[in-house]
Amino acid sequence: MNNPYARIFNVSRSFGSVLITRSYVASKSSTSGTKWSPVHNRKDKKNTPKKNAVHGQPKNEKKQRFEFGEYGKLSDGDANVLERSQKLVSKITDFDSLKLLPDVREKMIDIISSESLLNKNIQNIGYSPEDKSVQEFKKTVKPSPIQTTAIYQLSKTLMKPELQVRLIAAETGSGKTMAYLIPLVDYLKRTELENPTVWESMKHKAIVRSIILLPTHELVEQVYQTVSKLEPALGMHTYKWDAGSSYKGFVDALKGRIDIMVTTPGKILSLFKISMVSRPDRILSQVKFLVMDEADTLLDKSWVEDSYSTIKHMQNLNHVLFCSATIPKEFQKTITRLFPDVGVIASPNLHKINHKNDIKLINADMAPYKGSKIKALAQILYSINRDNIDPGFEKRAVVFVNEKTSVPIVAAKLANQYGHDVVALTGSDTVEERLEKIKPFMDPAKKINKSPSKPVADSNKVLRKIPNSNIVIEEAPDKAEEATAESTLKVLVTTDVLARGINFRSCRYVVLYDIPNTSVDLVHRIGRTGRMKQKGSVFIITGKRVKNWVKAIPSIVSKKVTIS
């Protein structure tokens, strides 16, 4: 039997700072195997357009792109896919125009309104549909571009019984969680309504109906905060299987039916290593809808074996959704090889950084820093603490470094020499420690109880213009007690372990203490602020020997140029 997913694909190439997309057809020959087998050796088809199955352009078409870094280039977007998405977004402007069950539409809008970053009046992100701030905000809720595109495209064939594999790709902070969660919920509820006899016989059985897989337990916690609201909203049975969950807890939840389970591939595979769960294959065979969030991580070299093994255990899937904010070329090759017929749903702004972000370059080699990056960082944080943005609320800043050994060093200097309220986090921390440390940065910004001191009179302020820039900031005092007398700033120092997917609520400031090595890391780090098209501030500490592509970042962001 021929693999039903066989499809032709190609690889793009770049030249200098301008990437020119050229399409190639890979020479493959057919093979037999189960529906989950990778495709190998497919022969070329005559007259087949030379286009990339996931992200390609017609041959000879040129497109200006910004090429950042030296490794891990991002793939091009298929012009036809992006154009189709843009047309949908311009035509569909509200949830009422999307094909959804009325109750699902109503409840999911309630959930969005109760946790949206755009709802500035939220102080508690629990499910509270009757809250006045939720009801007011609900009147203004619109689907984001990727939500419009994903819901529309998936709804066309949502209930068709054959396996459907799709990739949802959109820029960071664009609402991807709801882009896959709303169709998932609509699918489950339609299954109940369209097959009442079957549902009646199933609803009391020990089954798992759908699974959302993520690479880290921090992301499991974050996504489950949203998924758990489906219990009071729509009566769904949800379960979070994380590092702190016992097998007994899983078995107990299973007995009452699990409609949506949020977990990691490792937890799924662990079912086959314990005696408490008999016939785990039988349990997983009931799963109809699978989401792999942060898919470019779950299919990279260190994860792909576990992730693919997990999928193969689910033999009766109806939908598989891969979701990602970036499409690195290696990920493109992997997903095309494993699922050549994957359908692509992409945002028109894929691989673009929010142009509302204010990007500032700080040269640490120039006076007054004279080569001290930590002094430059302290000056940046002092300036952040003294600005007049979001008065009356705590401020949050995330500082990214490249090596985990640098995290405690930078954090200690900020705390001991400059008196900042600093949290240091690396992959060496336990899951429990990481969740505790990032919680203040994921909750809504707290209001400041006491009235802040009167601002310093203009005549007493010491202003300094940053060399080789148009940036003017206040000079930081030398003494820690002076710097922190009015401090409401919380600082998190970390690595790329927290650059992906984490929704830092009300985090307006990101500092790149070290220059990221790849375009993927650049997009994800900057993507921790300016989410849902809000304004953010990004400070990049540089030096005299910095590459030209680093100096170009402010310009390419403001001009909405695609990152490569």
Side-chain angles (χ1 to χ4, degrees), residues 218 425 434-442 492 498:
E218 291 89 345
L425 188 150
R434 295 202 301 267
L435 289 172
E436 183 179 352
K437 288 180 178 182
I438 66 173
K439 189 177 187 306
F441 296 86
M442 296 178 69
L492 174 65
L498 286 185

Side-chain angles (χ1 to χ4, degrees), residues 190-201:
R190 285 181 187 276
T191 300
E192 298 171 14
L193 295 173
E194 294 180 10
N195 303 286
T197 305
V198 175
W199 172 240
E200 197 63 33
S201 66

Side-chain angles (χ1 to χ4, degrees), residues 489-502:
L489 176 65
K490 291 185 177 294
V491 182
L492 174 65
V493 181
T494 188
T495 61
D496 289 310
V497 70
L498 286 185
R500 290 172 174 270
I502 296 294

Side-chain angles (χ1 to χ4, degrees), residues 330-371:
E330 284 304 312
F331 168 63
Q332 171 187 322
K333 293 175 185 177
T334 300
I335 197 170
T336 308
R337 175 172 57 85
L338 298 176
F339 306 99
D341 272 352
V342 60
V344 181
I345 300 171
S347 160
N349 297 314
L350 179 64
H351 296 164
K352 293 180 181 178
I353 294 173
N354 180 7
H355 70 280
K356 292 183 178 179
N357 281 338
D358 184 18
I359 313 291
K360 299 180 175 70
L361 302 182
I362 310 296
N363 189 339
D365 286 339
M366 305 294 286
Y369 314 122
K370 298 179 181 179

